[in-house]
Amino acid sequence: MTPVEVIRKKRDGGTLTREEMHAFISGYVANEIPDYQMAALLMAVYFNGMTADERAALTDVMLHSGVVVDLSHIPGVKVDKHSTGGVGDKVSLILAPMVAACGVPVPMISGRGLGHTGGTLDKLEAIPGFRTDLSIEEYKRVIAETGLVLIGQTKEIAPADKRMYALRDVTATVESIPLIAGSIMSKKLAEGIDALVLDIKTGNGAFMHTFEDSAALAEALVSIGTSMGKRTVGYITDMNQPLGYMIGNWLEVVESVECLKGRAVADLMEVTYVLGGTMVWLGKRAASIDEGIERCKEAIASGKAFEKFCEVVARQGGDPSYLEHPQRYPRPRHVVEVRSTASGYVTGYATMQIGLLAIALGAGRTKVDDIIDPKAGIIITKKIGDRVERDELLGTIATDRGDVLDRARAAMQSFVAVGETTPSRQQLVHAFVDETGVKPWTTPSLWKGMNR
Ligand code: URA
């Protein structure tokens, strides 16, 4: 089939074969098929979707467009976690060392901030000296020596995704479940993992705003992982307010270190323990998810999780003394308090707008080549359901950009909704997803010994 015939078939609602996708995508990576034909195919997929078999074949073709790392020489079940992205989502920084401290090897390839969401790589790079650009050989050495490695997508990993993603970004074809699923899973399956836990965010700070869309994405991701022979489970977790209290790269490192040192931030640690406990269970270091959660709590309480974080930071060139003494970090030029204009209860957050505000303060990019200011960000002081009085502190803004301060203060006030009545308690972990489908989730044992 010629590229035009493949595009026409998908445009008309047909089902592409693995061979057709392989020919098209390998032709694209080899520069034999131009951007405009790939863009047309992406738009056809956007409108017509893909069957489960097509999604698996697409992922497989994208995965094999580059190197698939072999970690079979490393003992143990290698497990990673992937989040679809949110605001203040610093879970990986706490979870990866916590799970590694439980004896489960964690090879993690993370991404940069995307849209209004932050990225683990940008957060790690806020630590002075930390290198995320390890070669594949270094990646293998670090995971073998420390049981944990944290890097970014190299040019060898899923190059088809790198090019297709850039094209999707400028052709309005990002928000497509098969394309998102292929993109995420091709990178994750290239890491050398045996199992994967997915955190699919849902709500006004997530890419998927409704539970139904999040569930459809979750099922697509889990079914691809399972069909490729990797034990894959996921959770649908809430993103209707920032996770934790801090947003911005260095601020998120600081909040993560607090949690690693045992000073739990309740919502952040609830998600972290559920995902981490599941990784420990998949990694065969616990007989159940509940037991995995207990192992994770022990790793935090004993200080082993924080030690593991310091170890990997040092191993990847970072200076762990900043984790012990965060006050040594350079300070932002402006630190501005934002106060409430009303009394009542916090009833909601415009979460995506909070993420975009953090970017405007310097914490993210609006163009690919923008330089991030790791000091920039927002600290919120209230969560949904908290009481707030007029003129009480709602949050703090940190930035070097003096010209955005007045606008930022007013914007922040408008992004926190204050009402007369207490909203009902927010459920954080909505559902568990495995190859049999989406199920409601409760973690009754989680709160033993935790202050909520
Ligand atoms: N993250 C990815 O890696 N790819 C997508 O398409 C969306 C989010």
Side-chain angles (χ1 to χ4, degrees), residues 319-384:
D319 182 348
S321 71
Y322 284 94
L323 308 180
E324 289 286 4
H325 308 287
Q327 67 282 5
R328 286 183 50 215
Y329 206 73
R331 299 183 70 77
R333 214 167 288 152
H334 308 280
V335 177
V336 174
E337 292 185 345
V338 180
R339 297 194 171 266
S340 179
T341 54
S343 295
Y345 294 93
V346 174
T347 54
Y349 270 93
T351 318
M352 180 189 286
Q353 279 74 12
I354 297 267
L356 293 171
L357 178 60
I359 293 172
L361 296 171
R365 302 175 189 80
T366 50
K367 297 192 293 304
V368 228
D369 51 357
D370 278 351
I371 309 279
I372 281 187
D373 174 5
K375 310 182 298 305
I378 299 167
I379 303 176
I380 59 168
T381 48
K382 301 284 178 187
K383 303 295 286 195
I384 294 178

Side-chain angles (χ1 to χ4, degrees), residues 53-72:
D53 285 347
E54 274 182 304
R55 291 192 304 246
L58 172 71
T59 308
D60 192 46
V61 168
M62 290 169 72
L63 167 68
H64 289 102
S65 68
V67 169
V68 181
V69 180
D70 180 6
L71 297 180
S72 56

Side-chain angles (χ1 to χ4, degrees), residues 82-84 114 161 165 168 174 176 179-181 183-184 187 207:
H82 180 82
S83 158
T84 57
L114 183 67
D161 171 64
Y165 193 87
R168 285 167 59 209
V174 171
S176 150
L179 298 178
I180 294 175
S183 166
I184 290 174
K187 283 174 288 207
F207 284 113

Side-chain angles (χ1 to χ4, degrees), residues 169-435:
D169 208 16
V170 292
T171 55
T173 49
V174 171
E175 303 91 339
S176 150
I177 286 177
L179 298 178
I180 294 175
S183 166
I184 290 174
M185 294 304 284
S186 63
K187 283 174 288 207
K188 287 284 138 181
L189 296 170
E191 295 173 333
I193 48 167
D194 302 305
L196 179 64
V197 177
L198 295 156
D199 181 8
I200 296 98
K201 299 288 185 200
T202 191
N204 67 6
F207 284 113
M208 299 288 152
H209 293 193
T210 66
F211 182 82
E212 290 66 34
D213 284 349
S214 306
L217 177 59
E219 286 187 301
L221 292 165
V222 167
S223 104
I224 291 172
T226 307
S227 74
M228 313 272 285
K230 309 290 174 191
R231 189 76 210 282
T232 307
V233 300
Y235 291 89
I236 301 178
T237 71
D238 198 75
M239 188 33 73
N240 281 301
Q241 61 181 327
L243 198 54
Y245 290 90
M246 302 199 185
I247 304 127
N249 298 292
W250 173 247
L251 288 172
E252 294 195 40
V253 173
V254 171
E255 192 171 31
S256 303
V257 166
E258 285 293 296
C259 290
L260 281 165
K261 286 182 166 175
R263 291 186 281 272
V265 172
D267 62 341
L268 175 57
M269 286 314 289
E270 177 172 351
V271 176
T272 305
Y273 279 136
V274 170
L275 296 167
T278 307
M279 290 172 76
V280 174
W281 166 65
L282 288 175
K284 303 206 182 318
R285 294 286 177 157
S288 65
I289 296 175
D290 259 15
E291 193 188 316
I293 290 172
E294 291 306 315
R295 294 288 88 76
C296 288
K297 286 185 181 177
E298 286 159 18
I300 296 281
S302 64
K304 290 199 173 115
F306 181 56
E307 258 171 49
K308 183 57 76 181
F309 190 47
C310 292
E311 182 189 347
V312 80
V313 165
R315 184 64 186 76
Q316 293 192 216
D319 182 348
S321 71
Y322 284 94
L323 308 180
E324 289 286 4
H325 308 287
Q327 67 282 5
R328 286 183 50 215
Y329 206 73
R331 299 183 70 77
R333 214 167 288 152
H334 308 280
V335 177
V336 174
E337 292 185 345
V338 180
R339 297 194 171 266
S340 179
T341 54
S343 295
Y345 294 93
V346 174
T347 54
Y349 270 93
T351 318
M352 180 189 286
Q353 279 74 12
I354 297 267
L356 293 171
L357 178 60
I359 293 172
L361 296 171
R365 302 175 189 80
T366 50
K367 297 192 293 304
V368 228
D369 51 357
D370 278 351
I371 309 279
I372 281 187
D373 174 5
K375 310 182 298 305
I378 299 167
I379 303 176
I380 59 168
T381 48
K382 301 284 178 187
K383 303 295 286 195
I384 294 178
D386 285 350
R387 177 81 202 167
V388 61
E389 302 303 334
R390 191 185 158 87
D391 283 333
E392 197 185 337
L393 192 66
L394 269 188
T396 308
I397 282 170
T399 183
D400 279 353
R401 299 182 178 169
D403 55 329
V404 299
L405 290 180
D406 287 342
R407 239 178 323 128
R409 187 189 286 110
M412 173 85 189
Q413 281 166 332
S414 72
F415 297 156
V416 188
V418 176
E420 300 278 299
T421 47
T422 337
S424 56
R425 192 184 156 273
Q426 303 285 301
Q427 185 165 350
L428 204 52
V429 181
H430 294 288
F432 174 77
V433 190
D434 66 7
E435 69 280 5

Side-chain angles (χ1 to χ4, degrees), residues 121-128 130 249-250 253 329 374:
L121 279 193
D122 298 326
K123 295 170 203 189
L124 290 168
E125 287 177 0
I127 303 169
F130 194 96
N249 298 292
W250 173 247
V253 173
Y329 206 73

